[in-house]
Amino acid sequence: MATSQTEGFAPAEPIETVVNTYPTTSGGTIASTVPVGAVYAEGSALDWGASLVEGTVVLDEKVAPNAAWSAVVKQGHVLTIVDVGGNQSADCLLYDAADPEERYSVPDTLAWQGNAYVRTGTVLRSNEGRPLMTVVANEIDRQDTIGGACGKESNTLRYGHHVMFHHGCRENFLAEASRHGLGVRDLVSNLNWFMNVPVEADGALGIVDGMSAPGRRVAVRAETDVLVLVSNCPQMNNPCNDFNPTPLRMIVVAPSSPATSHDANSQSPSEAAA
Amino acid sequence: MTTTDGPTADTSPDAAPATVRDLHLTDSVHSARDDARAQGGRAGDWMPYLPASTSPHCPPGVDRTSLVWAETVAPGGYTHKVLARGSRLRFDDPTGHACAHLLLFNALEPVERLNVADTLKIPWQAYLGVNHPLLSGDGRVMAVVTGDSSGRHDAFCGTTTDTWNQHKYGDSRPEGPSPSGRGLFVKAAAKHGLSRRDLPPSVSFFQGIRVEPDGALTWQGGAGPGTHVELVAEMPLLVLVANVAHPLNPRSEYAVGPLRVHAWRGLATGPDEERFTATPELHRAYLNTVDHCEARGL
């Protein structure tokens, strides 16, 4: 098929865009379709929740919609992430705080447990196969770590070149990583708390409507001192949150009693493969 | 001094079996040099074929004078190469036990690299096969699968770590009997100025994984001897390959066979080819790649 670069695919249909106007120093205004602002729809149901694990609160922060966040969670402490508005993807990367070259690894996490989804008991493994964090409580069926992050460049493949200047998680990750001396070399495939990415029998996969709701939570225990990076996904083009990015709440506690429900070091590869 | 100087091996039938010491006369610089030179030109089971056109395994239909890379990678071995845009890359699994773990980098800007999440998410497809793009995190297609007679591949489990192989085999040393894929990738990357920081998740060919409805990752194994996979490099690529046992291979011994690698000169996919517009996502990935390469003068 002889196809020029402008044929073969019809021009995109007119897109509903929000045009933001900004004052200029000369007294005029300029218009931009780049979405801005940490806003969510009027009347959105919000449930700020609380820690899933009893303990002394050492950190309690709110992450605005679209924004990035990071913190070091000390070994033994438990981070609860609250999906305040429901179906809000919390894109997440983990690093060994003492040696950030050791970081979260999707394939090691999946291969070690012999399963593609993240649930209670999943040990979040590093690129060296070691435990970084363990999921100790989880209020949705399964968490995603296949779908990766949105980025303005990869969004052009998905939705068309008109989205090139939208905000994305990769940009959030880069900005937040730079605060810790990390850069683009340090971005790898990530977790997506509260996002739903099923794999069908024929290999078809995709981000589909979420299985979360306002106030749903997941709790992860640090197995070593872990730097946690989160991008509260802008979800500019993903309908699973009705295009309505909502806040997250991040609560870190020093548990009242050490969690013992799962020993991160007990599972062997052969057990996983069996 | 001549090469006849020094001791000579006793070759009489009653002599004790010759030791390495008996067989190599290295008591002087000249005899050491002669001894070393006498070993040149030997062939082995695992080796590069130089020049590539001398490969005894030139793929069918390929003009051997266009070969730029020909090698048989040992079980537990690794290799690496920088390939020009448009190069064709073929892996052959002669025994049915190879496992080609693959990482790709933009050879000119190695911060652009294979992104496995995008490679699955963007095409809406978890199982690698013909026309599946290998995407970077920068919205561009690095390579595309153009041929596949195996159908047993994996983009979920990545490769093995030292920790994993020590658990499973009791040894993970790169020079040992069961090297890890990551250990070999670290070596290959280091030879291009990259470190372990630069190693994202990899994909692997020839040992299949399928995802069950509950998420369980099921081992398929290989498709038997004699299968191959072909790729086209859509930008200049740094290619790292580790040929190691798949992490979920259920056999207790380190099971991996030799891997053949061939590459030859070719052209990148152009707008007139069906592949260029096979899907809207692949079409835009190609537009992004062509845009990048045109601006780069490639």
Side-chain angles (χ1 to χ4, degrees):
Chain A
M1 179 174 66
T3 308
S4 78
Q5 293 184 8
T6 54
E7 294 171 352
F9 285 89
E13 293 179 5
I15 304 145
E16 285 186 41
T17 51
V18 177
V19 177
N20 302 290
T21 56
Y22 303 87
T24 67
T25 51
S26 60
T29 58
I30 56 171
S32 170
T33 58
V34 177
V36 293
V39 293
Y40 36 100
E42 194 74 26
S44 295
L46 301 177
D47 178 348
W48 292 92
S51 176
L52 259 171
V53 172
E54 293 287 315
T56 306
V57 174
V58 298
L59 182 148
D60 184 355
E61 293 181 351
K62 295 170 182 175
V63 188
N66 309 347
W69 176 92
S70 64
V72 173
V73 180
K74 295 286 186 186
Q75 182 177 21
H77 288 188
V78 175
L79 166 66
T80 294
I81 306 174
V82 184
D83 185 8
V84 172
N87 293 324
Q88 176 57 36
S89 177
D91 288 44
C92 180
L93 282 170
L94 311 174
Y95 301 81
D96 181 336
D99 174 16
E101 294 195 13
E102 181 159 3
R103 70 279 305 268
Y104 180 64
S105 167
V106 172
D108 286 282
T109 298
L110 299 191
W112 207 286
Q113 70 172 4
N115 194 285
Y117 303 126
V118 173
R119 302 182 174 96
T120 301
T122 294
V123 180
L124 306 173
R125 302 248 169 202
S126 76
N127 51 3
E128 308 286 355
R130 288 191 280 261
L132 291 173
M133 302 186 97
T134 301
V135 180
V136 293
N138 173 33
E139 294 185 331
I140 68 174
D141 285 351
R142 60 181 187 225
Q143 307 278 358
D144 169 64
T145 194
I146 301 169
C150 61
K152 69 191 193 77
E153 291 86 3
S154 68
N155 279 348
T156 68
L157 309 189
R158 206 58 176 281
Y159 305 104
H161 286 101
H162 63 283
V163 302
M164 177 63 98
F165 298 102
H166 288 187
H167 190 52
C169 287
R170 199 168 157 83
E171 286 66 46
N172 268 346
F173 279 145
L174 281 172
E176 198 67 23
S178 71
R179 299 181 56 230
H180 302 277
L182 304 174
V184 67
R185 297 165 67 195
D186 302 293
L187 299 192
V188 289
S189 299
N190 58 282
L191 290 145
N192 292 302
W193 303 114
F194 312 116
M195 203 169 85
N196 185 18
V197 183
V199 181
E200 308 292 344
D202 63 355
L205 89 173
I207 301 165
V208 301
D209 290 349
M211 50 178 67
S212 186
R216 293 290 171 88
R217 298 168 294 179
V218 64
V220 286
R221 182 183 66 226
E223 306 298 351
T224 185
D225 291 357
V226 174
L227 169 63
V228 180
L229 255 58
V230 164
S231 166
N232 194 358
C233 184
Q235 291 181 285
M236 296 303 183
N237 311 289
N238 188 332
C240 74
N241 198 23
D242 298 331
F243 303 106
N244 177 27
T246 46
L248 298 167
R249 182 181 179 188
M250 319 294 285
I251 311 162
V252 177
V253 301
S256 308
S257 58
T260 55
S261 61
H262 185 86
D263 180 357
N265 291 299
S266 67
Q267 187 191 30
S268 76
S270 56
E271 287 166 351
Chain B
M1 189 178 290
T2 71
T3 57
T4 58
D5 289 343
T8 52
D10 183 347
T11 56
S12 65
D14 298 332
T19 66
V20 170
R21 187 72 257 173
D22 296 329
L23 294 173
H24 294 277
L25 309 178
T26 54
D27 60 331
S28 73
V29 171
H30 285 86
S31 59
R33 183 188 67 187
D34 291 342
D35 179 75
R37 285 180 172 175
Q39 298 175 52
R42 290 185 190 170
D45 289 336
W46 338 116
M47 60 182 290
Y49 310 110
L50 301 174
S53 59
T54 63
S55 170
H57 308 289
C58 182
V62 173
D63 174 5
R64 64 170 54 251
T65 64
S66 69
L67 288 173
V68 295
W69 185 11
E71 186 165 354
T72 301
V73 182
Y78 73 97
T79 186
H80 51 98
K81 190 75 77 182
V82 173
L83 291 177
R85 182 185 182 211
S87 299
R88 308 290 157 146
L89 174 62
R90 173 171 164 136
F91 298 114
D92 277 274
D93 177 9
T95 65
H97 300 293
C99 192
H101 298 262
L102 178 70
L103 278 178
L104 300 175
F105 299 78
N106 179 332
L108 300 172
E109 295 152 79
V111 293
E112 179 173 16
R113 56 198 58 178
L114 178 66
N115 185 308
V116 171
D118 283 357
T119 293
L120 300 190
K121 175 176 69 178
I122 299 298
W124 309 86
Q125 174 53 245
Y127 301 143
L128 304 178
V130 170
N131 277 358
H132 200 118
L134 299 179
L135 298 171
S136 75
D138 298 275
R140 295 193 279 256
V141 50
M142 308 187 82
V144 170
V145 178
T146 54
D148 175 20
S149 67
S150 167
R152 306 281 185 98
H153 314 302
D154 174 32
F156 284 94
C157 297
T159 190
T160 47
T161 59
D162 285 3
T163 311
W164 182 275
N165 279 19
Q166 279 156 16
H167 268 282
K168 192 168 178 180
Y169 307 110
D171 196 329
S172 63
R173 293 168 299 147
E175 70 278 19
S178 50
S180 76
R182 183 172 171 81
L184 299 181
F185 275 147
V186 167
K187 286 170 172 281
K191 291 176 178 177
H192 297 271
L194 304 175
S195 79
R196 64 191 194 124
R197 195 179 161 192
D198 297 292
L199 301 178
S202 56
V203 297
S204 63
F205 295 110
F206 298 125
Q207 302 293 321
I209 288 291
R210 286 296 179 268
V211 181
E212 304 299 332
D214 66 353
L217 299 171
T218 304
W219 164 258
Q220 280 190 309
T227 64
H228 70 273
V229 171
E230 275 185 20
L231 305 168
V232 57
E234 304 289 10
M235 61 171 63
L237 291 182
L238 167 59
V239 180
L240 309 185
V241 180
N243 181 31
V244 300
H246 188 279
L248 292 195
N249 189 319
R251 289 165 63 171
S252 56
E253 75 274 22
Y254 188 80
V256 61
L259 172 72
R260 288 198 187 122
V261 182
H262 286 83
W264 57 95
R265 285 185 286 274
L267 295 175
T269 303
D272 290 342
E273 295 178 69
E274 280 189 28
R275 183 163 62 245
F276 200 88
T277 51
T279 68
E281 296 83 10
L282 185 54
H283 183 215
R284 288 191 283 266
Y286 270 123
L287 292 178
N288 289 350
T289 296
V290 168
D291 178 69
H292 170 77
C293 290
E294 290 286 329
R296 258 278 190 180
L298 296 168

